[in-house]
Amino acid sequence: MAATPKNRNRKYEAVEKMLTEQRDELSARMNGRMGEVYIDREPDDEAALATDSVTKDMAAATLERERRTLQEIEGALKRIKTGEYGVCGSCGEPIPEARLKALPWARVCVGCAEKRSSGLAVD
Ligand SMILES: [Zn+2]
């Protein structure tokens, strides 16, 4: 068993596995939703048409939210591969493990996230 690279960072192996699973699950769910949003039905009256349009809007909004989450997950997976995962993208400090548990695709530490959401310039 000499095939295991010694310098491979195994610290985030569990996170990588979990994120990969989440990504696959999310993609599958999104593929199902695409059908809801884009299939053209032929409602036979105005009311049905309106209901159909609301359903589509909701599905589209959910799809948009899921698309963003998927992007975050893919970004995190990329950072695990490049070794940037778990490091704050703003101040360069390590992101505490508790935060990564709560938000596995966190890009910045709590301090920087707070500065950002309060509207203060970070960079
Ligand atoms: Zn930071």
Side-chain angles (χ1 to χ4, degrees):
M1 302 297 275
T4 314
K6 270 187 186 148
N7 58 352
R8 172 117 161 68
N9 188 355
R10 296 173 62 91
K11 195 179 167 189
Y12 294 117
E13 208 161 274
V15 181
E16 188 174 16
K17 191 169 172 283
M18 183 200 70
L19 285 172
T20 306
E21 278 167 11
Q22 269 190 11
R23 184 193 57 189
D24 293 347
E25 207 184 291
L26 197 58
S27 320
R29 217 182 318 149
M30 284 173 71
N31 279 335
R33 222 182 290 285
M34 293 279 201
E36 285 174 45
V37 181
Y38 297 113
I39 280 178
D40 270 324
R41 285 182 224 125
E42 289 180 34
D44 42 20
D45 62 55
E46 297 261 321
L49 192 69
T51 310
D52 197 44
S53 153
V54 169
T55 309
K56 275 189 187 178
D57 281 355
M58 278 169 61
T62 308
L63 196 61
E64 176 59 24
R65 208 176 51 233
E66 286 173 342
R67 199 180 59 79
R68 268 185 224 151
T69 306
L70 192 65
Q71 264 179 358
E72 295 291 345
I73 293 176
E74 275 174 355
L77 284 169
K78 205 185 276 176
R79 291 198 298 281
I80 290 175
K81 285 203 165 59
T82 56
E84 291 163 82
Y85 183 80
V87 177
C88 175
S90 189
C91 68
E93 292 291 319
I95 299 175
E97 217 165 288
R99 175 161 168 80
L100 289 174
K101 274 215 175 84
L103 191 68
W105 45 84
R107 272 178 292 187
V108 292
C109 67
V110 182
C112 292
E114 272 170 8
K115 272 183 232 161
R116 263 185 201 181
S117 60
S118 64
L120 294 168
V122 172
D123 309 310

